[in-house]
Amino acid sequence: MGDTALEAVLRRDRVVVMAALVVIAVLAWAYVLWLAADMVMPGSPLPDSGGGDMAGMDMSNMDGSNTGMAGIDMGAAVAPGFRAWALADFAFTFTMWAVMMVGMMTPSVAPMLLLYAGVGRKARADGRPIASTGWFFAGYLAVWVVFSLLATGAQWLLARLALLDPSMATGSAILGGLVLIAAGLYQWTPMKGVCLRQCQAPIAFLAGHGGFRSAPLGALRLGMDHGAYCLGCCWALMALLFVGGVMNVLWIAGIAILVLLEKTVPTGQLIPRVSGALMAAIGTWIVFQAF
C-alpha cells in the first residue's frame, strides 16, 4: 500500500474512532443530564423522617410515595431518615456512577485510543495484525466500572451515616473541607506524578508496557493497565463529587474538564499542583469557617 493511500486509511480510522467516542460520550452525558433533571428540582418538597421539608429534589409521586425513575426510592439513597437501600437502589446508583465515569473519562482517553487505532491499521497493512481498539477500550472502562462499584459503596455508607443531603453532596462542612484538603494534597504526591506521566504520554506508556497486542486478551489487559494509571491519577478528583454533589452537572463538568486538561495540556505537573493548592486552601478555609 502506498504512503498516500495508507495515510488516507489512517485518517479514516481516526475519524471512525473519534466519531464512536463522541457518540459514547454524548450518550453518557445525556443520561447524566436526564438523571439530574429528574432528580434535582429546586423548590420541590422532599419529606424527611421528622416531617419537615427538604427542598431540592422532586421525588414525590401522586400517591405520596418517594419513588423516582424505574420505581427506585431515591430518597432512601441520598437522604437520612428513609428506608435502607434495596438491591434495586444499589443497581440504580451503580449504573449512575458507571455511566457518569464513561462520560467523564472518554474524552481524556481519546488520544490513546486514536494512537492505538492508527498504529493498528498500519500494522495490519504491513501484515502484523493487532487486537481491536475496542478490546483496549473495554479494558480501560473495566477499571472505572470497578471504581463505580466502590463509589456506590461509599455513597451507601455516607447515606447510612446521614452525611448526604438531597443533592448527594456531603451535608458536613468539616467533612467536605477535609475531602478538599486530602484531594489537594494528593495532587502533589509522587504517585499522582507517576500516574499522570503515563496518561500524558501514550507512546511512552505503550513502549514501557510491551507495545501493542496481537491478541484480544492482551489488548484488554493493556487497557486495564492504562485504566489503572488513570484511576491512580484521578480517584481523588472523583471523591470531590461528594463535596459539590454527585448530581451537580456543573460540578461534574468542571472535574471532567480538569481531568482533560491535566492529561492533554503539555504543562507537566503545573495544572495538578496549582489546582491542588487551590483545593487545599479552599478546604482549609471551609474547615475553619465551620468552627
Side-chain angles (χ1 to χ4, degrees), residues 228-274:
Y229 280 114
C230 187
L231 178 60
C233 178
C234 303
W235 70 268
L237 297 178
M238 297 307 165
L240 295 179
L241 289 168
F242 288 116
V243 177
V246 175
M247 279 288 97
N248 183 332
V249 175
L250 291 179
W251 189 252
I252 298 170
I255 294 175
I257 291 171
L258 177 57
V259 169
L260 181 63
L261 292 176
E262 283 188 354
K263 293 185 177 183
T264 59
V265 177
T267 59
Q269 303 293 316
L270 179 62
I271 292 177
R273 289 184 175 177
V274 170

Side-chain angles (χ1 to χ4, degrees), residues 17 154 239:
V17 172

Side-chain angles (χ1 to χ4, degrees), residues 93-160:
T93 305
F94 167 72
T95 301
M96 174 193 72
W97 274 99
V99 175
M100 184 164 59
M101 291 302 101
V102 171
M104 294 178 72
M105 303 311 300
T106 295
S108 66
V109 78
M112 180 75 219
L113 295 175
L114 292 173
L115 174 66
Y116 198 95
V119 175
R121 168 62 75 171
K122 188 176 186 304
R124 285 192 295 272
D126 294 339
R128 297 179 291 106
I130 65 171
S132 168
T133 307
W135 285 100
F136 182 93
F137 191 35
Y140 178 85
L141 292 181
V143 173
W144 287 102
V145 168
V146 173
F147 171 80
S148 299
L149 185 61
L150 297 175
T152 300
Q155 184 172 327
W156 169 82
L157 179 61
L158 290 171
R160 185 80 172 178

Side-chain angles (χ1 to χ4, degrees), residues 11-69:
R11 283 196 297 270
R12 185 196 67 186
D13 275 17
R14 284 193 290 268
V15 170
V16 171
V17 172
M18 179 56 74
L21 293 177
V22 168
V23 170
I24 291 171
V26 167
L27 290 176
W29 276 100
Y31 180 76
V32 171
L33 290 171
W34 175 62
L35 287 183
D38 188 86
M39 294 170 62
V40 183
M41 303 289 288
S44 299
L46 176 66
D48 61 15
S49 59
D53 289 337
M54 295 177 65
M57 300 178 69
D58 185 10
M59 299 183 195
S60 300
N61 290 335
M62 294 298 293
D63 61 358
S65 66
N66 195 40
T67 55
M69 295 165 290

